[in-house]
Amino acid sequence: MAPALMAPEAAIRRFAELVRTGEVEEPRGELRLGIDLGTANIVVSVVDGGNRPIAGAWVHSTVVRDGVVVDWAGATSAVRRLKEDVERRLGHRFTRASVSIPPGISEGDTKVFRNVATAAGLETDEVVDEPVAAARALGITDGCVIDVGHGTTGVSILADGRVLKSIDEATGGHHMNLVLAGAYRIDYEAAEVMKKDPSRRDDVVGVIRPTLEKMASIAQAALVGFDVPMVYLVGGSSSFPNAPDVFAARLGRPVVRPIEPLFVTPLGIPMKELDDDRG
């Protein structure tokens, strides 16, 4: 019997819980591992044969900057530790993994991402653009996915599951921190804390709005010449309550931000296309 499928929102919510709590699910079928080397966090994800989230782990990290691995040793060490963590909890050894990359990076930089996995003891199953991974987790094949990370904003336009255009530009949560630090005359670390503090949300959203508008302008430029009816907004730096409205106003299209936007892309990395008769 084929593994039962989960609705995208339920899968994303459950994956976020697994990462935060360290719990694991009972797998059904083949286990697959994904690695997301982000600018602010490294996340590993495990799904089973039905693309159900089974386990996950994460660590705050600054090994990537503007889509480039800047700390090779730190990246390798973190991936190895996270891999061993999920292996211990699952009682399963991984020898292969899928790896995400920011869209539009060079072949040389792509090779570095692959080499990090290799140095952590993993052969690479697949290299996937971050917004494409997000589309998998969302269960979509058409539209525009905007992945707002800590360092960059990635935009991918898809039709019938094919990537028509994919770009990545340096504006993200890092730039929000810089703006907050300047506005409130605090250091960078204090700005990061302030940005994440729910009690300071009203103070933050107005100050970072121009940064969100810059991200939206990146997406607007990428969408020129494409008739895209729906836009999906993911990534941790899209979590602010005004983000969908800022993007919708600039793009002139409906913008959907799923639950737990930080965990959408990592979940989609190890996912595979399933047979139509699964259910």
Side-chain angles (χ1 to χ4, degrees), residues 5-47:
L5 302 181
M6 291 182 72
E9 288 281 331
I12 295 164
R13 185 193 299 272
R14 183 55 181 151
F15 177 62
E17 291 174 349
L18 294 174
V19 173
R20 291 185 174 122
T21 65
E23 297 173 1
V24 298
E25 293 280 3
E26 185 67 29
R28 298 177 228 163
E30 173 195 20
L31 289 175
R32 297 189 298 272
L33 180 69
I35 301 170
D36 182 18
L37 288 173
T39 305
N41 302 287
I42 298 176
V43 186
V44 298
S45 53
V46 179
V47 301

Side-chain angles (χ1 to χ4, degrees), residues 170-267:
T171 302
H174 164 69
H175 303 82
M176 294 176 178
N177 289 355
L178 295 176
V179 169
L180 286 169
Y184 286 94
R185 301 192 178 190
I186 55 179
D187 64 27
Y188 184 90
E189 289 73 21
E192 173 73 7
V193 171
M194 180 181 178
K195 185 179 69 175
K196 294 180 177 180
D197 184 352
S199 69
R200 300 298 302 276
R201 189 56 55 92
D202 289 343
D203 299 325
V204 169
V205 291
V207 176
I208 66 165
R209 185 182 180 94
T211 310
L212 287 170
E213 289 176 344
K214 173 65 184 302
M215 297 169 180
S217 70
I218 291 170
Q220 182 182 36
L223 281 164
V224 171
F226 293 93
D227 183 16
V228 176
M230 183 68 71
V231 173
Y232 300 86
L233 190 60
V234 303
S237 294
S238 72
S239 300
F240 295 94
N242 60 335
D245 289 342
V246 170
F247 276 81
R250 178 61 63 95
L251 301 179
R253 297 169 171 89
V255 173
V256 174
R257 182 184 57 202
I259 190 169
E260 300 283 5
L262 173 62
F263 294 103
V264 176
T265 296
L267 175 59

